[in-house]
Amino acid sequence: MKILIINGPNLNMLGKREPGIYGNQTFEEFFVQLQFQFKETELAYFQSNIEGELITKIQDADDDFDGVILNAGAYTHTSIGIGDAIKAIATPVIEVHISNTFSREEFRHQSYISPNAKGVILGFGLQSYILAVQSFLTT
């Protein structure tokens, strides 16, 4: 199985950004651990702070991957375009968030991704990505 993890804006700052919410580990460090944990699964990773690049990567994933794990960051709450890109592809997408967005500011309660996603996992820290990979492997 081939799974693409896509991270949106500011997730390149993990390990530095608000460690009380997001922890002290960079995503690159975590990704190495994830690859080790799921040796039989081909995992790829892409991060961008640019909405259009995320949309293009989602569209391109349709031809190359069995699943997408998407943490669109703040674009979750603002990007109709990312939601439409997910709707346009056949590859299933799981929306993940490190924090519980419903325990945060009101504007974070709205997602333009959730209606088009296979599922949503949030609030389990970086473990959210592990749960998303496991869900692809068991369904």
Side-chain angles (χ1 to χ4, degrees):
M1 174 164 283
K2 291 175 63 176
I3 299 172
L4 174 62
I5 298 171
I6 300 175
N7 278 342
N10 298 312
L11 289 162
N12 58 309
M13 298 299 292
L14 289 179
K16 296 179 184 177
R17 174 186 179 209
E18 300 177 86
I21 295 173
Y22 299 106
N24 295 314
Q25 189 174 33
T26 69
F27 195 82
E28 289 75 14
E29 292 167 342
F30 172 72
F31 187 66
V32 170
Q33 294 172 346
L34 197 63
Q35 289 175 304
F36 182 78
Q37 183 173 350
F38 295 101
K39 292 176 188 166
E40 304 299 316
T41 304
E42 186 177 332
L43 297 171
Y45 169 59
F46 176 79
Q47 189 280 327
S48 179
N49 294 319
I50 301 169
E51 182 179 17
E53 290 181 359
L54 298 172
I55 291 169
T56 299
K57 200 67 169 178
I58 291 165
Q59 292 169 347
D60 291 347
D62 203 28
D63 296 327
D64 297 327
F65 292 91
D66 301 305
V68 173
I69 298 169
L70 174 63
N71 184 341
Y75 287 136
T76 301
H77 321 292
T78 63
S79 180
I80 295 168
I82 291 175
D84 285 348
I86 295 166
K87 196 182 325 183
I89 66 171
T91 302
V93 175
I94 295 177
E95 176 184 355
V96 301
H97 296 283
I98 296 168
S99 68
N100 178 353
T101 57
F102 292 100
S103 69
R104 299 185 62 196
E105 303 92 341
E106 183 75 25
F107 74 88
R108 295 187 195 274
H109 300 184
Q110 167 68 41
S111 171
Y112 287 102
I113 293 168
S114 297
N116 304 307
K118 175 182 178 183
V120 180
I121 301 170
L122 53 89
F124 294 97
L126 292 174
Q127 178 84 15
S128 295
Y129 293 90
I130 294 170
L131 295 169
V133 172
Q134 289 173 333
S135 75
F136 277 123
L137 298 177
T138 60
T139 57

